[in-house]
C-alpha cells in the first residue's frame, strides 16, 4: 500500500507555560468534539480508515468466525434477595445482557428486564442493579450510548412494572436500599453545563436519600463534603438494615475512608460520622455482623488482611485473616464464613475461613484462571462465582462453604474445544531485574518458530490485576495461528501494594520498561521477531501502548492503542480525569510535570518510522474523552516518516467500552483483528 495522505486536522497556535517550560498544543481545537471542524475531521478520518479496512481480504471471514465464537450463552453469578433469585444472562448475540428472575439459582425463570427492548439500536444499557432485601423492588441504573452517566429507575419484581421514580445525573455510585423498601441512598453530581455533559469535570458529589413516590428535587441531603469536592461517596446498607456504611474514595487513590451512620431511628435522623478517617490504607467493606464491620485492608499488611472493626469504637480492631504469601484481592461473607480470593502469580486461588480466622478449606478451582465475580449472603450456604480462563468463557460455579466442594451450575456449549489450546506462564526479567509474569496461550500445535504472529497485551496501573481473561477476539487470533501474550506489569495489584507503588507516579516508566522487556523476551525466546509483534491495550493500557510506541517503535510490527490516556498534561481537566492523579501525578506540580512530559504519548511523537497503528475511540466516551485519541492520532500521522498506515477508528453512539452493544463489538473487534493480522503479514 502506498503511503497515505491524511486528513488535515484543525490546529491553533496554542502554547502553554508549565512552570517556565513552554509546550505547544497545536491540536487543541480537537478537544471540542462538537465543533464543525472536528466533526469534518472525524468523518474524513473514518472514511480513510474504512477505505483501508474494506480492502483487507480476510476481514469478512474474520467477522463471520468471530460471530460464531461470540454466540454462546453467558450468565453472571446468581444472587438472592428473600425468596427471589436474580441473574444477568445473554443468549449469545443479544446486544445487551438481560435481567432474569427465578425461584432457585438453577431454574430458568423469566425475564424481568430486557434492555434490548428499550432501544432498537442496542445502545441502552442496564449498567447496574440493586435489589431491595425483600426482593420486591429493583433499582436499575440505565445508561445511554456508552456514557458513564446513569439514570436510576425502580422496577417491581413481581409485575416487571416501572414506578414513576427517576434519579438523574448519577455515576460511580450504588443504590443502597433501606430495610423497609421505602427508598434508597445514592450519590449524584450537580447537573453539568448542557454543552459539556461529556467533558466537564465531575466534582461535588452528594449522598442523598430518595423516598419512593417523591420527586428527586425533594431527596434529603444525607452527607456532602464541600471542603473536599473530589470525594466519591459509595453507600451500602448492611447488618440487616441497621447500619449505613459510606466508603469515601478520591478518584483512584489507593486509600479509602470509612464513615458510618445508625439507621435504627430512621433516615430522617441519619448522621454520618467518621469511623476510619485517616486515609492511611485501603479499606474495602465485606459485610457487617452485630455492629462489626469486616474489611479487607492493606493497613500494616502490604499483601492484605481481613479485619473486624467495631462500628462504635474504631480502636477496637481485630485481625481475622492475617497477611499471607499471596495478595488478597476480594472477600465475601457467605454462610457465616469468609471466602477469600488471593492472587498467586496473577491467577486466583480461593480459601474458606471461619470468622475467627480458622482455616476451613482450600477450594479446588478448575485450572489457571480468574474469579470474575462473587455472590452470596451471610445466610446462604453456598457461594456462587464465575470462573474464566484464556480459552473458555465464564462458567458459573457453586461452592458449598461448609467444606469447599464445587460443582458447575451453567456450562455453555461452545463452538470450539478449549482443550485444543494451552496456557503456560513464564517470568521475564525487566530492565532493573524485576521478575514480570507473562502468560502465553496458543493452539497446541503452535510452537516457537521464530515468526509466530504475536499479540502482546498489557495494562499496568490502578491496582488492577491482569490475569486469565476470555475475549472472543483473542480466541479468534489464536485459532488463526497466533500467539497471545498477556503481561502482568507493575502498577497492578498482582503482588500487593508494593507492586502497585512500583509502577505509579515517578515510577510509571517502569511499566513501559516491563512491557518492552516482554517484547524483547518474545524475540529472544524464539517465538517471533519484532515485526511480527502487535501490542494492544485499552484505557490506561492505551497509554501503555502509546508510550511504548513512541519510545520503542522498532520493537513492534503493529500497535493498537485503544481509548487511551494520551495527553498527560491535560487529562485531569476532563470528567473524572482528576481522579487518576494518584497513579499519574499532575502537571500542576513542577516535579510531576517533568515526569509526565517525559512519557506523554502526545508530546513524544517525534518524526520517525512508526509501525502500522490503529487508534480506537468513541464519540461518547466520557471516561477518557476522545480528544486524547484525536490529538494523538493527528500528531502521529504528522510525525510518520515510514510507509505504514496510521489510522483512527472513531465509533459513534458508544463510550469507553462498558455496555457497548454486541453488534458494535463484533464490528470493531473484527476490524481490529483484520488490521493487526494484515499489518504483521505485511499486506496492508
Amino acid at each position: 500500500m502506498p503511503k497515505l495522505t491524511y486528513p488535515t486536522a484543525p490546529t491553533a497556535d496554542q502554547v502553554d507555560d508549565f512552570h517556565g517550560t513552554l509546550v505547544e498544543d497545536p491540536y487543541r481545537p480537537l478537544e471540542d468534539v462538537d465543533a464543525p471542524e472536528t466533526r469534518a475531521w472525524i468523518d474524513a478520518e473514518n472514511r480513510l480508515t474504512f477505505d483501508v479496512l474494506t480492502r483487507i481480504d480476510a476481514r469478512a471471514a474474520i467477522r463471520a468466525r468471530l460471530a460464531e465464537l461470540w454466540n454462546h450463552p453467558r450468565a453472571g453469578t446468581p444472587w438472592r434477595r428473600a425468596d427471589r433469585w436474580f441473574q444477568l444472562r445473554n443468549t449469545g448475540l443479544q446486544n445487551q445482557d438481560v435481567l432474569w428472575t427465578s425461584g432457585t439459582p438453577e431454574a430458568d425463570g423469566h425475564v424481568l428486564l430486557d434492555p434490548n427492548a428499550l432501544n432498537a439500536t442496542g445502545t441502552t444499557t442496564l449498567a447496574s442493579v440493586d435489589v431491595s432485601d425483600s426482593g420486591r423492588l429493583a433499582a436499575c441504573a440505565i445508561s445511554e450510548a456508552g456514557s458513564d452517566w446513569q439514570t436510576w429507575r425502580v422496577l417491581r419484581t413481581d409485575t416487571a412494572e416501572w414506578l414513576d421514580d427517576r434519579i438523574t445525573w448519577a455515576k460511580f455510585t450504588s443504590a443502597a436500599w433501606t430495610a423497609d423498601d421505602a427508598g434508597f441512598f445514592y450519590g449524584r453530581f450537580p447537573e453539568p453545563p448542557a454543552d459539556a455533559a461529556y467533558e466537564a469535570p465531575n466534582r461535588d458529589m452528594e449522598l442523598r436519600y430518595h423516598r419512593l413516590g417523591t420527586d428527586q428535587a425533594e431527596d434529603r441531603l444525607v452527607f456532602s463534603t464541600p471542603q473536599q469536592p473530589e470525594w466519591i461517596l459509595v453507600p451500602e446498607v448492611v447488618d440487616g438494615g441497621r447500619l449505613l456504611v459510606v466508603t469515601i474514595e478520591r478518584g483512584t487513590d489507593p486509600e479509602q475512608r470509612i464513615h458510618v451512620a445508625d439507621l435504627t431511628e430512621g433516615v430522617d435522623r441519619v448522621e454520618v460520622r467518621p469511623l476510619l478517617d485517616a486515609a492511611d490504607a485501603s479499606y474495602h467493606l465485606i459485610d457487617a455482623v452485630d455492629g462489626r464491620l469486616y474489611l479487607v485492608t492493606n493497613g500494616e499488611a502490604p499483601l492484605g488482611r481481613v479485619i473486624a472493626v467495631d462500628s462504635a469504637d474504631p480502636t477496637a480492631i481485630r485481625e481475622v485473616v492475617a497477611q499471607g504469601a499471596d495478595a488478597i484481592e476480594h472477600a465475601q461473607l457467605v454462610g457465616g464464613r469468609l471466602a477469600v480470593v488471593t492472587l498467586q502469580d496473577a491467577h486466583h486461588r480461593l480459601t474458606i475461613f471461619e470468622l475467627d480466622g480458622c482455616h476451613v478449606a482450600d477450594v479446588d478451582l478448575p485450572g489457571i484462571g480468574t474469579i470474575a465475580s462473587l455472590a452470596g449472603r451471610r445466610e446462604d450456604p453456598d457461594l456462587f462465582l464465575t470462573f474464566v480462563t484464556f480459552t473458555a468463557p465464564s462458567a458459573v460455579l457453586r461452592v458449598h462453604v461448609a467444606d469447599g466442594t464445587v460443582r458447575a451450575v451453567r456450562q455453555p456449549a461452545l463452538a470450539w474445544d478449549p482443550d485444543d489450546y494451552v496456557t503456560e506462564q513464564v517470568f521475564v526479567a525487566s530492565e532493573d531485574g524485576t521478575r514480570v509474569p507473562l502468560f502465553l496461550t496458543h493452539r497446541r500445535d503452535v510452537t516457537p518458530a521464530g515468526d509466530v504472529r504475536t499479540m502482546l497485551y498489557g495494562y499496568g496501573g490502578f491496582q488492577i490485576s491482569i490475569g486469565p481473561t476470555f475475549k472472543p477476539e483473542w480466541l479468534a487470533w489464536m485459532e488463526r495461528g497466533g500467539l497471545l501474550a498477556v503481561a502482568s506489569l507493575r502498577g497492578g495489584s498482582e503482588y500487593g501494594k508494593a507492586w502497585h507503588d512500583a509502577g505509579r507516579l515517578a515510577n510509571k516508566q517502569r511499566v513501559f520498561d516491563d512491557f518492552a522487556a516482554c517484547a524483547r523476551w518474545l524475540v529472544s525466546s524464539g517465538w517471533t521477531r519484532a515485526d511480527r509483534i502487535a501490542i494492544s491495550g485499552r484505557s490506561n493500557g492505551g497509554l501503555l501502548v502509546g508510550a511504548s510506541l513512541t519510545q520503542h517503535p522498532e520493537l513492534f510490527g503493529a500497535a493498537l492503542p485503544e481509548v487511551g490516556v494520551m495527553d498527560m498534561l491535560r487529562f485531569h481537566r476532563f470528567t473524572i480525569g482528576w481522579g487518576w492523579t494518584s497513579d499519574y501525578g499532575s502537571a500542576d506540580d513542577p516535579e510531576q510535570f517533568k515526569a509526565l512530559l517525559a512519557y506523554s504519548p502526545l508530546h513524544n511523537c517525534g518524526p520517525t518510522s512508526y509501525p502500522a497503528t490503529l487508534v480506537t475511540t468513541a464519540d461518547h466516551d466520557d471516561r477518557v474523552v476522545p480528544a486524547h485519541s484525536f490529538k494523538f492520532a493527528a500528531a502521529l500521522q504528522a510525525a510518520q516518516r515510514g510507509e505504514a498506515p496510521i489510522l483512527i477508528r472513531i465509533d459513534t453512539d458508544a463510550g469507553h467500552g462498558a455496555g457497548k452493544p454486541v453488534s458494535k463489538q463484533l464490528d470493531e473487534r473484527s476490524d481490529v483483528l483484520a488490521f493487526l493480522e494484515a499489518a504483521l503479514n505485511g499486506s496492508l
Side-chain angles (χ1 to χ4, degrees):
M1 176 182 293
K3 188 173 181 180
L4 300 176
T5 300
Y6 298 107
T8 301
T11 58
D13 296 326
Q14 179 69 42
V15 179
D16 297 321
D17 187 337
F18 290 92
H19 318 290
T21 299
L22 299 181
V23 179
E24 296 181 353
D25 191 5
Y27 300 109
R28 181 72 60 83
L30 289 173
E31 291 183 0
D32 186 351
V33 178
D34 296 318
E37 296 83 1
T38 302
R39 302 310 302 186
W41 178 84
I42 290 172
D43 291 342
E45 289 284 358
N46 270 341
R47 283 196 300 272
L48 175 63
T49 295
F50 286 103
D51 179 62
V52 173
L53 293 173
T54 54
R55 283 184 272 156
I56 299 174
D57 292 337
R59 183 181 180 225
I62 288 173
R63 194 193 188 286
R65 180 54 178 162
L66 191 57
E68 293 174 349
L69 297 177
W70 216 298
N71 191 15
H72 58 82
R74 298 185 293 280
T77 47
W79 74 96
R80 182 185 63 84
R81 293 295 181 267
D83 60 351
R84 288 182 181 273
W85 287 84
F86 301 87
Q87 189 175 38
L88 290 169
R89 303 177 194 164
N90 194 304
T91 57
L93 295 180
Q94 288 177 292
N95 275 321
Q96 301 293 339
D97 292 348
V98 176
L99 179 62
W100 287 70
T101 186
S102 60
T104 68
E106 279 116 343
D108 287 337
H110 63 271
V111 172
L112 181 58
L113 174 60
D114 183 358
N116 300 288
L118 301 178
N119 185 327
T121 66
T123 56
T124 297
T125 305
L126 178 58
S128 181
V129 182
D130 286 301
V131 182
S132 67
D133 279 351
S134 70
R136 293 191 292 265
L137 297 167
C140 301
I142 307 298
S143 175
E144 301 287 348
S147 171
D148 280 338
W149 286 119
Q150 298 171 353
T151 297
W152 287 98
R153 299 198 63 190
V154 179
L155 196 66
R156 289 179 58 94
T157 60
D158 56 348
T159 63
E161 295 175 326
W162 291 110
L163 303 186
D164 292 335
D165 304 77
R166 186 182 295 266
I167 304 296
T168 59
W169 302 116
K171 63 168 70 173
F172 313 132
T173 188
S174 54
W177 287 93
T178 46
D180 57 5
D181 277 11
F184 55 84
F185 299 94
Y186 68 96
R188 67 153 287 172
F189 290 98
E191 182 175 347
D195 61 348
Y198 300 110
E199 296 88 27
N202 304 139
R203 293 187 173 91
D204 297 303
M205 178 182 270
E206 296 176 337
L207 184 66
R208 291 185 173 267
Y209 179 75
H210 176 70
R211 189 175 296 278
L212 295 184
T214 65
D215 189 89
Q216 183 180 5
E218 301 174 30
D219 289 354
R220 179 175 182 265
L221 176 62
V222 174
F223 184 57
S224 65
T225 59
Q227 74 282 7
Q228 296 289 347
E230 296 180 342
W231 282 8
I232 304 294
L233 314 174
V234 183
E236 295 181 70
V237 174
V238 293
D239 209 3
R242 292 185 292 273
L243 199 63
L244 169 66
V245 179
V246 182
T247 300
I248 299 176
E249 305 171 341
R250 184 201 166 273
T252 56
D253 282 10
E255 299 83 24
Q256 290 81 36
R257 292 172 166 83
I258 301 292
H259 287 207
V260 297
D262 186 352
L263 297 179
T264 58
E265 296 186 14
V267 295
D268 293 333
R269 302 186 66 178
V270 168
E271 292 186 9
V272 177
R273 57 179 175 82
L275 181 68
L276 300 170
D277 200 38
D280 57 347
S282 65
Y283 296 100
H284 299 289
L285 178 67
I286 303 169
D287 207 337
V289 179
D290 298 330
R292 289 188 302 276
L293 274 62
Y294 289 84
L295 304 127
V296 175
T297 181
N298 61 16
E300 302 180 22
L303 292 175
R305 60 178 180 151
V306 177
I307 60 173
V309 183
D310 191 325
S311 62
D313 181 5
T315 64
I317 297 177
R318 174 173 61 88
E319 182 173 85
V320 179
V321 178
Q323 174 177 262
D326 298 327
I328 294 177
E329 188 155 73
H330 304 293
Q332 193 89 2
L333 179 53
V334 183
R337 292 181 168 88
L338 287 167
V340 179
V341 178
T342 55
L343 281 159
Q344 185 178 63
D345 291 330
H347 57 275
H348 280 153
R349 301 179 67 190
L350 179 63
T351 308
I352 309 296
F353 295 91
E354 299 284 7
L355 287 185
D356 62 3
C358 290
H359 177 272
V360 175
D362 295 321
V363 177
D364 187 17
L365 296 173
I368 295 176
T370 296
I371 295 173
S373 61
L374 298 169
R377 311 195 92 187
R378 72 188 199 197
E379 306 88 358
D380 296 336
D382 295 325
L383 169 75
F384 290 86
L385 61 87
T386 52
F387 188 78
V388 62
T389 70
F390 284 116
T391 59
S394 292
V396 179
L397 305 180
R398 185 172 188 163
V399 180
H400 192 52
V401 296
D403 56 13
T405 55
V406 182
R407 68 182 179 87
V409 177
R410 291 181 182 272
Q411 288 188 308
L414 302 175
W416 70 96
D417 185 353
D419 288 338
D420 290 341
Y421 300 83
V422 62
T423 294
E424 60 179 309
Q425 188 179 41
V426 299
F427 295 88
V428 175
S430 191
E431 185 173 297
D432 61 0
T434 298
R435 186 170 173 263
V436 178
L438 181 66
F439 292 98
L440 304 176
T441 308
H442 51 87
R443 280 194 342 237
R444 288 187 180 275
D445 62 338
V446 173
T447 58
D451 65 348
V452 176
R453 281 198 312 270
T454 300
M455 183 186 297
L456 174 60
Y457 175 88
Y459 186 81
F462 298 103
Q463 293 182 290
I464 295 174
S465 64
I466 299 298
T469 304
F470 179 79
K471 297 185 179 184
E473 68 266 28
W474 285 358
L475 183 66
W477 178 266
M478 293 184 288
E479 191 177 67
R480 294 174 67 84
L483 170 68
L484 174 67
V486 175
S488 304
L489 311 171
R490 280 178 283 189
S493 64
E494 288 85 350
Y495 298 105
K497 184 178 186 300
W499 193 253
H500 177 221
D501 289 343
R504 69 184 182 113
L505 298 174
N507 296 325
K508 187 67 177 177
Q509 179 58 42
R510 292 176 178 171
V511 181
F512 314 136
D513 293 342
D514 290 353
F515 204 51
C518 290
R520 294 187 179 101
W521 182 92
L522 288 165
V523 174
S524 65
S525 66
W527 269 105
T528 192
R529 59 180 191 262
D531 63 352
R532 297 280 276 175
I533 297 175
I535 52 173
S536 169
R538 294 181 59 83
S539 196
N540 174 73
L543 161 63
L544 168 69
V545 172
S548 299
L549 179 64
T550 52
Q551 290 181 19
H552 296 292
E554 76 284 356
L555 292 182
F556 320 112
L560 181 66
E562 302 202 76
V563 293
V565 187
M566 302 301 190
D567 184 345
M568 302 311 298
L569 305 187
R570 288 177 58 78
F571 71 87
H572 59 303
R573 300 181 182 275
F574 303 97
T575 62
I576 198 64
W578 55 263
W580 312 331
T581 56
S582 60
D583 250 56
Y584 299 148
S586 169
D588 295 339
D589 178 282
E591 290 305 311
Q592 292 176 347
F593 158 73
K594 294 177 184 177
L596 290 165
L597 183 62
Y599 69 77
S600 177
L602 175 65
H603 300 93
N604 286 278
C605 291
T608 192
S609 180
Y610 290 101
T613 301
L614 178 62
V615 181
T616 71
T617 188
D619 63 352
H620 278 68
D621 191 341
D622 51 3
R623 185 84 58 84
V624 180
V625 294
H628 282 280
S629 294
F630 293 174
K631 293 164 70 174
F632 180 64
L636 202 63
Q637 288 175 347
Q640 175 65 303
R641 295 297 180 266
E643 299 296 320
I646 307 294
L647 303 176
I648 180 168
R649 187 186 190 281
I650 305 160
D651 211 343
T652 56
D653 291 325
H656 196 59
K660 180 176 287 190
V662 166
S663 57
K664 279 182 172 288
Q665 292 186 64
L666 278 169
D667 289 341
E668 182 184 72
R669 296 298 91 192
S670 55
D671 285 347
V672 161
L673 288 176
F675 177 86
L676 294 181
E677 184 175 298
L680 299 188
N681 287 344
S683 57
L684 276 181

